[in-house]
Amino acid sequence: MTRFLSDKNILDTIGRDSEAGFRMLLKDYKEAVYWHIRRITVAHHDAEDALQETFIRVFKNIDKFKKDMPLAAWIFRIATNEAIRQCQRHKKVAFSLDDEAQTEDAGRMIADEYFDYSDLEAVKLQKAIHKLPPKQQLAFNLRYYDEFDYATIARISDTSAASAKANYHAAKEKIIHYMNTHD
Amino acid sequence: MSDFNFDKTGKKMPYRVPDNFFDDVENKIIANAHSRQRRHRGLTLAFRLTAVAATLAILLAVGSHSMSSHKTDFIEILQAFDNLSDADQTYLLEIYQDDIFMHE
């Protein structure tokens, strides 16, 4: 995840001027958080709703943020929960971190208007990711796309770093197998 | 059977966003946060005024001899309300706002 500002800089600014600081935080995080949510919800409108709820929660609870974890981990943890809540609200495939069952086929990709079908390899990769169990899906996305280290992934997904690493490698193997065996 | 390579596929995704989405959504979030803050403040005030009215009504009905104990009850209610989390305050306010008997 590409960042331009330090957590300290953002938090100090929020302490002095909440709106200015919050705008700094939004500028630094909104795109990465959106894409993280979008990889879970798939549909753009659901991702937008979850994105808004995420930052409103961040805004309301920033004074409760304990600096024992990176700000990014705290925000991505809230975003993950909001994305899951959004999926459940629309009775979509339940992406629950407590649910070890495999998620359904990523057929819901078909309905979204903000979806590019022209790159077949990219579509197939997303389908492969959505075939994974939720914890592997989350670990893979956070490592592969956002480039978080395993300790941060562990904070976001409420697991251990070793477990996050195992989930990522298991996910990678399954994706390679899927990509090599499906047209 | 092909030999899939992550490096070749890269991080591209088949997802798109509307034009100017990231600029627009920032303003929407700020506006939404402000409006919820105003609504929360309004509801808090409404709850407090309702609590004051209810307490005064009880005091008048029961009589002046027990006024001091009710005053204490009322202060305790307000203190307890202040100690609740934002989410719990909002929940209570939303419940009581729809309570027709409290608004009669």
Side-chain angles (χ1 to χ4, degrees):
Chain A
M1 185 195 153
T2 309
R3 298 274 317 280
F4 300 100
L5 301 163
S6 70
D7 287 358
K8 188 178 182 310
N9 193 351
I10 291 172
L11 293 170
D12 286 351
T13 308
I14 288 172
R16 287 193 306 272
D17 178 344
S18 63
E19 183 166 337
F22 193 54
R23 280 193 182 274
M24 277 172 76
L25 184 146
L26 276 171
K27 282 193 197 312
D28 218 26
Y29 279 99
K30 65 186 172 187
E31 290 201 33
V33 172
Y34 171 82
W35 291 118
H36 170 65
I37 292 171
R38 182 78 188 269
R39 285 188 279 271
I40 296 171
T41 65
V42 177
H44 165 70
H45 293 295
D46 290 341
E48 182 179 355
D49 287 348
L51 181 75
Q52 290 204 37
E53 286 304 317
T54 296
F55 281 111
I56 285 167
R57 272 178 187 269
V58 167
F59 185 56
K60 273 182 73 176
N61 295 299
I62 195 77
D63 54 330
K64 293 176 193 148
F65 167 63
K66 297 183 182 91
K67 292 169 189 168
D68 61 344
M69 69 165 87
L71 185 60
W74 185 65
I75 293 173
F76 271 70
R77 194 180 167 121
I78 295 170
T80 304
N81 289 335
E82 283 302 325
I84 293 168
R85 205 189 320 268
Q86 195 66 27
C87 288
Q88 288 168 342
R89 190 174 295 150
H90 291 185
K91 295 188 170 64
K92 279 183 177 173
V93 178
F95 178 112
S96 165
L97 293 180
D98 297 326
D99 182 7
E100 287 297 331
Q102 242 188 353
T103 54
E104 272 180 29
D105 184 37
R108 58 197 156 113
M109 287 180 185
I110 294 162
D112 197 86
E113 64 183 297
Y114 296 108
F115 196 88
D116 180 5
Y117 300 95
S118 63
D119 189 336
L120 298 177
E121 189 86 340
V123 173
K124 194 172 152 188
L125 176 57
Q126 288 306 308
K127 282 188 176 178
I129 293 169
H130 278 270
K131 285 276 190 189
L132 297 168
K135 283 179 182 170
Q136 290 179 14
Q137 204 178 122
L138 187 61
F140 180 81
N141 283 337
L142 291 168
R143 179 78 186 135
Y144 185 70
Y145 289 104
D146 297 305
E147 298 179 7
F148 283 121
D149 57 40
Y150 295 118
T152 305
I153 294 170
R155 300 306 295 262
I156 296 168
S157 52
D158 198 20
T159 184
S160 67
S163 178
K165 188 175 181 178
N167 278 326
Y168 170 72
H169 286 289
K172 211 172 164 184
E173 289 304 312
K174 285 183 186 174
I175 290 168
I176 291 170
H177 178 74
Y178 181 94
M179 297 301 281
N180 286 338
T181 55
H182 289 75
D183 289 327
Chain B
M1 185 167 136
S2 61
D3 192 15
F4 176 71
N5 184 345
F6 279 105
D7 293 334
K8 193 177 152 206
T9 305
K11 295 182 182 180
K12 57 192 175 183
M13 293 182 293
Y15 305 131
R16 289 178 176 161
V17 292
D19 293 341
N20 303 319
F21 169 69
F22 288 111
D23 290 333
D24 294 344
V25 82
E26 183 176 321
N27 293 326
K28 271 191 204 174
I29 291 167
I30 297 280
N32 202 344
H34 280 311
S35 97
R36 287 200 198 182
Q37 216 171 24
R38 277 195 300 272
R39 185 166 162 264
H40 181 77
R41 281 185 192 143
L43 285 170
T44 305
L45 181 64
F47 180 85
R48 284 174 170 274
L49 290 173
T50 307
V52 169
T55 307
L56 285 174
I58 290 166
L59 291 174
L60 286 171
V62 172
S64 58
H65 63 280
S66 59
M67 191 173 281
S68 60
S69 77
H70 283 293
K71 264 184 190 166
T72 309
D73 290 347
F74 173 58
I75 290 164
E76 282 172 359
I77 289 168
L78 288 183
Q79 281 171 345
F81 182 76
D82 285 338
N83 288 336
L84 293 172
S85 68
D86 284 355
D88 288 341
Q89 284 186 1
T90 304
Y91 175 76
L92 269 180
L93 295 172
E94 282 170 356
I95 293 288
Y96 285 110
Q97 195 186 27
D98 295 333
D99 188 332
I100 54 168
F101 297 108
M102 281 193 80
H103 291 278
E104 274 186 338

